[in-house]
């Protein structure tokens, strides 16, 4: 759940979606990944981070529903992304690595 009450979801249809938690309606669809999206989190300053089976981590502008940054470097599926205390993003992959990204 985002700080403003909306809910972000990751999907096998290669998208992220934002949902109005009061009405259960999809309010935004984020397209750009080329495989299933496995993880999505809210970052500070109006952004989302996602990890996908396409081996990428993407950073999204929430209000524009646009990708603003792409991180490549994993050789396996990205199963999890988290924001670290210093604002960097960490990702965990099926390639048995954890990577740290400067956002």
């Amino acid at each position: 759940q985002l700080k403003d009450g909306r809910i972000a979801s990751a999907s096998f249809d290669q998208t992220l979606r934002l949902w109005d938690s009061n009405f259960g309606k999809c309010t935004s669809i984020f397209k750009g990944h080329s495989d299933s999206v496995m993880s999505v989190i809210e970052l500070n300053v109006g952004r989302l981070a996602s990890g996908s089976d396409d081996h990428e981590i993407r950073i999204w502008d929430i209000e524009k529903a646009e990708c603003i940054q792409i991180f490549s470097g994993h050789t396996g599926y990205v199963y999890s992304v988290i924001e670290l205390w210093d604002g960097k993003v960490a990702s965990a992959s099926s390639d048995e690595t954890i990577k740290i990204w400067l956002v």
Side-chain angles (χ1 to χ4, degrees):
Q1 186 169 0
L2 305 185
K3 293 174 187 133
D4 65 8
R6 290 181 289 179
I7 297 170
S9 65
S11 179
F12 284 113
D13 71 1
Q14 304 173 7
T15 67
L16 310 173
R17 293 174 189 259
L18 281 185
W19 301 86
D20 179 312
S21 57
N22 293 317
F23 300 102
K25 290 184 73 174
C26 178
T27 59
S28 300
I29 300 174
F30 299 72
K31 296 181 180 180
H33 280 293
S34 61
D35 207 335
S36 300
V37 183
M38 304 305 292
S39 181
V40 61
I41 59 164
E42 181 180 22
L43 302 174
N44 290 325
V45 197
R47 298 174 298 168
L48 298 173
S50 61
S52 170
D53 284 357
D54 64 10
H55 307 180
E56 294 180 342
I57 296 88
R58 289 183 178 244
I59 308 300
W60 306 85
D61 179 291
I62 291 175
E63 296 312 316
K64 294 179 182 177
E66 292 178 354
C67 179
I68 57 175
Q69 201 167 16
I70 301 171
F71 297 106
S72 300
H74 283 294
T75 58
Y77 303 146
V78 179
Y79 288 127
S80 182
V81 291
I82 62 166
E83 185 173 25
L84 302 175
W85 64 273
D86 60 0
K88 294 176 185 163
V89 170
S91 57
S93 170
S94 65
D95 64 14
E96 299 181 359
T97 65
I98 294 173
K99 297 191 181 293
I100 309 294
W101 311 94
L102 180 60
V103 179

